[in-house]
Amino acid sequence: MKQLILSAALLLSALQIEAAEHKVFRISTNQTDLILQVGDNGRLYQTYLGEKLLNDEDVNRFNWYQHPGSDGSISQRGWEVYSGSGNEEFFEPAIAITHNNGKTSTYLYYVSSSAQAVEGGMETTINLRDDKYPIDVTLHYVAYPKENVIKTWSEIKHQEKKPITLSRYASTMLYFCNSAYYLTEFSSDWAKEAQMTSQQLQFGKKIVDTKLGSRAAMIAHPFFEVGLDQPVAENQGKVLMGTLGWTGNFRFTFEVDNAGNLRVIPSINPYASNYQLPANKVFTTPEFIFTLSYNGSSEGSRNLHEWARNYSLKDGKESRLTLLNNWENTGFNFNQEILANLMKEAKHLGVDMFLLDDGWFANKYPRNNDKAGLGDWEVNHSKLPGGIPALVDAAKEAGVKFGIWIEPEMVNPKSELFEKHPDWAIHDDNRTMYFYRNQLVLDLSNPAVQDYVYSIVENILKENPDIAYFKWDCNSPITNIYSPYLKDNQGNLYIDHMRGVYNVFKRVKEKYPNVPMMLCSGGGSRCDYEALKYFTEFWCSDNTDPIERLYIQWGFSQFFPAKSMCAHVTSWNKNTSIKFRTDVASMCKLGFDLGLKELSSDELTYCQTAVNNWKRLTPSIMDGDQYRLVSPYQSNHMAVNYVSKNRQQAVLFTYDIHPRFQEKLLNVKLEGLDPFKRYKVTEINLMPGQTSTLEANGKTFSGDYLMKVGLKAFSANHTQSRVIELTAE
């Protein structure tokens, strides 16, 4: 141990000669510079984060030494990029370690760096090392110039004789010096996902976190916005938009210090997670993805949407399948004949696929409700005597693709799996078990359980290679918290469990790269860019009431492109028309979850037309640029438009939610059009026999007029919607 420490100290001493030269790192997009500098003391500091500097000479003008306050300290202190616990910094650290000798201080010094081109950008890697302990931290930054997005994460390893204990492990630290800071956070609950609220950050710490274990969201979502100098606005002002790629417990710390500076620290939540790290093993933090927009959150959203489609969303540049799901129609009560008829309905509707939901499996404890059978992934012979192959054949005969629901990370105590392997479930035998939705979470820190969960997918696809889609659910947070597999090392559970989940996702993607999958979790409780590397889309909410969906989809659209967001037309809130419900769902990846028999002839014809229109407009809706025009949070209406990349096609969605009596109706001003092109305006998605009441329908306007003057698209009617196509001539 002493020899290791001595070697590290000698090497560090030599390397600090280079550090004394004030080595500067410029991590740049086309719009933003993040500048880091090695200080006189050999440690790494942030000296600038903001609009891109035009003069290269200006990059070197910054002083690493900040002035946090006149506290009489004899230490020079700055904005340390990865500040360690126990040093002279008095605020929240990025890393905290308990060493083999029981001591807890960490000082990290610059060692070396490298840069390399990666897909879409440039990666800068900076190596840091403690001068007294064999601790290494590697910081990674990937800048995507065109999209104005930066992705950053850290790696921690050591060579101490015994495991060290990590009690803090941030992905990064970012610093801001502004007159004021305004946080927009996204709170959540079942059927109330992505609800936006804002507040000014004052002195002290504001923490947003979750402790659910198996999924990031339900109480809060792993993304945020911070308005710098002013509250977050759509089209003006500087705003930081950040999201963490982690599906488990996360924590965002926003700390305003005594000098009025803001620290933003994204990380895995250290709650109940004092992590034991063996020597030479690498602890990799989640990726933190952020953009700095200088023209409001709308521009920031488009930055993230484009980045996601290009680099982080599975099949981000590929098409999506429209579908008919059976859940709202049948629940658990179906058989082979009923499903075969629904497949014919899917074909008649014009969608691409029929999706079979929950209830198709288990025999000893049949899956006839949510209290039994979960974990026993053999076909229920009573409901489906022909098994999945018969369903695949029926779908082929009907002329649609076939997809299927699974929830492989969970188990009902009333199941054969739990009888055989109770030690595979996270639970404490010394306590009375309690359940969330009558189930327990399988312990994916255990490699044997990972193999089992992977085998569920593999066995289904081996028997049925023509399955076109999986809906992968995860309905329960971790309860009864104890891992039989980890035994005395319970501090690793929350983290190693989630890494086990990712191991399964990776194996599925590597073996079956062409099978699209929906990420579902008791509604929208899984919605992060690490999981979306393996999934083509996510389910926003079990709440499909179209009025509530306007708010939910508005919130999620801040960070996720429409291509990743599933929206289904259902029978929720029948006080709204089938047109209104369908128009709301058409803003995202369109699906249906109802029986066609409950529709009138005109309603069915309308839905068929809407499906065809949606498919035709996918260059705008799925792959184009989104502009949020009128917020439901700020008015009794909502409007969003999408524009294709070549600006030849656009589509405007408008919704009258609950207008007030004699309310003044303002024009809807579009965005993103070519001001010099002329666009023909056509209202589409009309009910059979209905003619458009839009004054501009059939007329042609310049893009400039449509963006400056706009269209009279709102009405005084409750829950009325319009879909307006604009075609360049």
Side-chain angles (χ1 to χ4, degrees):
M1 179 68 176
K2 289 181 179 178
Q3 186 175 1
L4 283 170
I5 294 173
L6 180 61
S7 298
L10 290 172
L11 177 58
L12 187 62
S13 178
L15 290 166
Q16 282 179 337
I17 296 173
E18 180 183 6
E21 298 175 357
H22 290 190
K23 188 172 181 65
V24 174
F25 302 93
R26 186 180 189 183
I27 299 156
S28 296
T29 72
N30 290 345
Q31 298 180 53
T32 297
D33 270 328
L34 170 61
I35 299 175
L36 313 179
Q37 184 183 50
V38 178
D40 294 336
N41 57 5
R43 287 151 66 181
L44 185 68
Y45 297 88
Q46 177 188 313
T47 58
Y48 179 78
L49 175 55
E51 291 187 73
K52 190 178 182 71
L53 300 170
L54 300 180
N55 189 333
D56 289 343
E57 293 180 4
D58 291 339
V59 172
N60 297 307
R61 294 183 183 274
F62 297 97
N63 191 338
W64 68 271
Y65 172 48
Q66 307 293 326
H67 299 271
S70 301
D71 58 4
S73 171
I74 62 171
S75 301
Q76 287 184 315
R77 303 211 310 274
W79 288 350
E80 191 165 6
V81 170
Y82 211 71
S83 180
S85 177
N87 65 21
E88 72 279 3
E89 176 60 76
F90 303 135
F91 298 95
E92 189 73 16
I95 185 171
I97 297 172
T98 301
H99 301 282
N100 285 183
N101 60 9
K103 295 184 178 180
T104 57
S105 64
T106 299
Y107 289 73
L108 297 172
Y109 295 85
Y110 173 77
V111 173
S112 62
S113 61
S114 62
Q116 63 177 347
V118 296
E119 183 185 11
M122 179 67 68
E123 179 175 358
T124 301
T125 301
I126 304 172
N127 302 303
L128 309 176
R129 181 173 296 152
D130 195 303
D131 64 334
K132 303 299 182 183
Y133 298 93
I135 305 292
D136 294 283
V137 174
T138 302
L139 307 179
H140 296 266
Y141 299 87
V142 180
Y144 298 89
K146 182 181 176 183
E147 294 82 9
N148 190 30
V149 167
I150 297 174
K151 179 173 71 174
T152 177
W153 70 98
S154 60
E155 295 175 332
I156 305 164
K157 66 178 180 179
H158 73 97
Q159 295 83 39
E160 296 192 21
K161 288 184 177 180
K162 298 178 181 178
I164 61 172
T165 301
L166 298 175
S167 53
R168 291 291 188 277
Y169 22 71
S171 295
T172 193
M173 297 180 77
L174 300 178
Y175 297 83
F176 298 89
C177 178
N178 294 83
S179 61
Y181 313 95
Y182 297 86
L183 172 67
T184 296
E185 56 188 315
F186 297 79
S187 62
S188 181
D189 202 344
W190 179 82
K192 281 183 61 179
E193 288 83 354
Q195 303 297 300
M196 299 173 63
T197 54
S198 298
Q199 61 183 279
Q200 185 173 358
L201 295 171
Q202 303 286 359
F203 172 78
K205 285 192 291 189
K206 162 73 175 180
I207 291 176
V208 177
D209 68 2
T210 58
K211 304 177 179 70
L212 299 164
S214 59
R215 58 200 214 186
M218 187 170 79
I219 310 302
H221 289 289
F223 41 87
F224 65 85
E225 300 170 349
V226 174
L228 302 171
D229 297 317
Q230 65 175 51
V232 175
E234 277 290 320
N235 293 305
Q236 56 93 23
K238 184 187 293 187
V239 56
L240 167 70
M241 302 176 68
T243 180
L244 193 69
W246 184 249
T247 316
N249 297 341
F250 71 89
R251 172 183 285 183
F252 295 134
T253 302
F254 306 92
E255 186 168 23
V256 179
D257 67 19
N258 55 305
N261 300 314
L262 172 66
R263 291 162 171 79
V264 178
I265 310 175
S267 69
I268 296 173
N269 193 344
Y271 164 76
S273 297
N274 285 340
Y275 194 91
Q276 300 297 306
L277 182 66
N280 298 310
K281 297 290 185 181
V282 177
F283 184 102
T284 303
T285 70
E287 296 172 349
F288 177 64
I289 303 106
F290 71 93
T291 184
L292 263 181
S293 171
Y294 311 99
N295 297 292
S297 59
S298 184
E299 180 181 84
S301 294
R302 288 188 293 278
N303 292 342
L304 291 165
H305 296 174
E306 188 71 3
W307 170 83
R309 286 189 297 254
N310 287 338
Y311 311 115
S312 197
L313 174 65
K314 185 180 187 300
D315 300 336
K317 297 180 181 179
E318 304 301 322
S319 61
R320 294 294 187 264
L321 296 169
T322 55
L323 60 86
L324 176 65
N325 196 0
N326 71 298
W327 180 250
E328 297 285 345
N329 188 5
T330 69
F332 292 101
N333 301 314
F334 56 80
N335 58 34
Q336 200 163 301
E337 181 180 359
I338 290 172
L339 296 181
N341 287 330
L342 291 178
M343 294 172 194
K344 295 175 183 177
E345 290 190 7
K347 178 64 175 178
H348 189 50
L349 181 60
V351 296
D352 304 305
M353 180 178 63
F354 173 77
L355 174 62
L356 172 60
D357 215 287
D358 196 357
W360 58 267
F361 53 90
N363 289 288
K364 182 177 180 180
Y365 303 106
R367 183 70 169 174
N368 295 322
N369 52 53
D370 67 359
K371 297 180 181 180
L374 197 60
D376 301 341
W377 296 98
E378 72 279 354
V379 170
N380 181 284
H381 302 308
S382 176
K383 292 181 182 180
L384 305 172
I388 297 175
L391 298 177
V392 174
D393 290 342
K396 288 181 180 178
E397 185 177 343
V400 293
K401 297 180 183 294
F402 178 75
I404 196 166
W405 178 96
I406 55 174
E407 192 178 3
E409 300 165 52
M410 304 288 157
V411 62
N412 288 126
K414 192 175 181 180
S415 67
E416 291 185 83
L417 179 65
F418 190 74
E419 289 176 347
K420 294 176 182 176
H421 296 288
D423 58 312
W424 282 10
I426 295 173
H427 72 288
D428 185 348
D429 282 337
N430 293 327
R431 303 285 184 184
T432 301
M433 282 195 291
Y434 59 97
F435 308 109
Y436 188 93
R437 292 187 61 164
N438 306 298
Q439 60 197 58
L440 296 172
V441 179
L442 291 174
D443 183 4
L444 272 92
S445 69
N446 184 341
V449 178
Q450 294 175 34
D451 290 342
Y452 174 75
V453 172
Y454 170 76
S455 74
I456 294 165
V457 178
E458 184 173 54
N459 291 339
I460 291 173
L461 287 174
K462 275 185 176 179
E463 183 186 34
N464 308 280
D466 290 330
I467 282 182
Y469 187 91
F470 279 100
K471 178 182 178 182
W472 186 304
D473 216 337
C474 170
N475 281 307
S476 179
I478 293 177
T479 60
N480 306 274
I481 301 168
Y482 178 77
S483 165
Y485 173 75
L486 292 174
K487 297 182 175 62
D488 295 334
N489 203 11
Q490 296 299 310
N492 289 28
L493 173 56
Y494 281 125
I495 296 171
D496 284 354
H497 170 81
M498 191 47 57
R499 289 175 173 166
V501 173
Y502 290 144
N503 286 342
V504 175
F505 290 169
K506 290 174 185 175
R507 291 173 67 182
V508 171
K509 182 179 179 180
E510 288 171 0
K511 185 71 176 287
Y512 305 102
N514 299 319
V515 178
M517 297 196 296
M518 178 203 294
L519 191 64
C520 184
S521 186
S525 291
R526 277 187 170 174
C527 49
D528 67 274
Y529 276 120
E530 182 63 29
L532 285 171
K533 291 177 181 178
Y534 313 104
F535 289 80
T536 50
E537 54 223 60
F538 71 94
W539 180 232
C540 297
S541 178
D542 286 340
N543 188 343
T544 52
D545 179 321
I547 295 173
E548 295 301 322
R549 271 288 181 142
L550 291 176
Y551 294 88
I552 292 168
Q553 292 170 194
W554 184 273
F556 277 123
S557 75
Q558 307 287 317
F559 288 87
F560 302 99
K563 174 172 274 187
S564 69
M565 295 164 54
C566 296
H568 293 176
V569 183
T570 75
S571 298
W572 280 48
N573 195 348
K574 286 189 175 181
N575 292 326
T576 60
S577 67
I578 191 68
K579 169 178 167 53
F580 188 82
R581 283 176 268 155
T582 304
D583 288 350
V584 170
S586 294
M587 283 194 296
C588 300
K589 203 224 76 167
L590 180 62
F592 290 78
D593 198 344
L594 43 69
L596 300 194
K597 293 178 182 178
E598 64 185 81
L599 301 178
S600 69
S601 176
D602 281 352
E603 288 175 331
L604 176 58
T605 299
Y606 166 80
C607 290
Q608 292 168 327
T609 301
V611 170
N612 287 332
N613 284 336
W614 186 90
K615 291 182 177 181
R616 183 169 51 79
L617 293 168
T618 54
S620 295
I621 302 171
M622 293 287 97
D623 298 309
D625 294 322
Q626 181 194 66
Y627 297 83
R628 293 184 298 270
L629 308 177
V630 179
S631 168
Y633 285 94
Q634 299 172 356
S635 74
N636 300 314
H637 307 267
M638 175 176 163
V640 172
N641 78 270
Y642 299 86
V643 183
S644 65
K645 290 297 184 182
N646 60 12
R647 295 199 285 182
Q648 289 291 113
Q649 177 194 78
V651 56
L652 168 66
F653 294 92
T654 70
Y655 306 93
D656 307 306
I657 305 172
H658 293 301
R660 300 293 300 276
F661 176 67
Q662 292 188 344
E663 174 188 326
K664 183 178 182 179
L665 299 176
L666 301 176
N667 283 8
V668 178
K669 299 176 183 178
L670 287 86
E671 295 178 21
L673 303 177
D674 186 330
F676 301 104
K677 292 184 185 294
R678 297 189 62 79
Y679 293 88
K680 182 176 181 181
V681 174
T682 307
E683 184 174 3
I684 60 173
N685 281 23
L686 296 168
M687 292 294 292
Q690 183 184 20
T691 57
S692 174
T693 59
L694 182 71
E695 289 183 11
N697 189 55
K699 298 178 182 179
T700 300
F701 303 86
S702 71
D704 185 59
Y705 178 93
L706 291 168
M707 292 189 290
K708 291 177 178 175
V709 179
L711 299 173
K712 295 180 179 179
F714 287 142
S715 81
N717 299 316
H718 288 208
T719 61
Q720 178 169 305
S721 57
R722 296 186 194 271
V723 181
I724 300 168
E725 183 177 359
L726 298 99
T727 307
E729 295 186 335

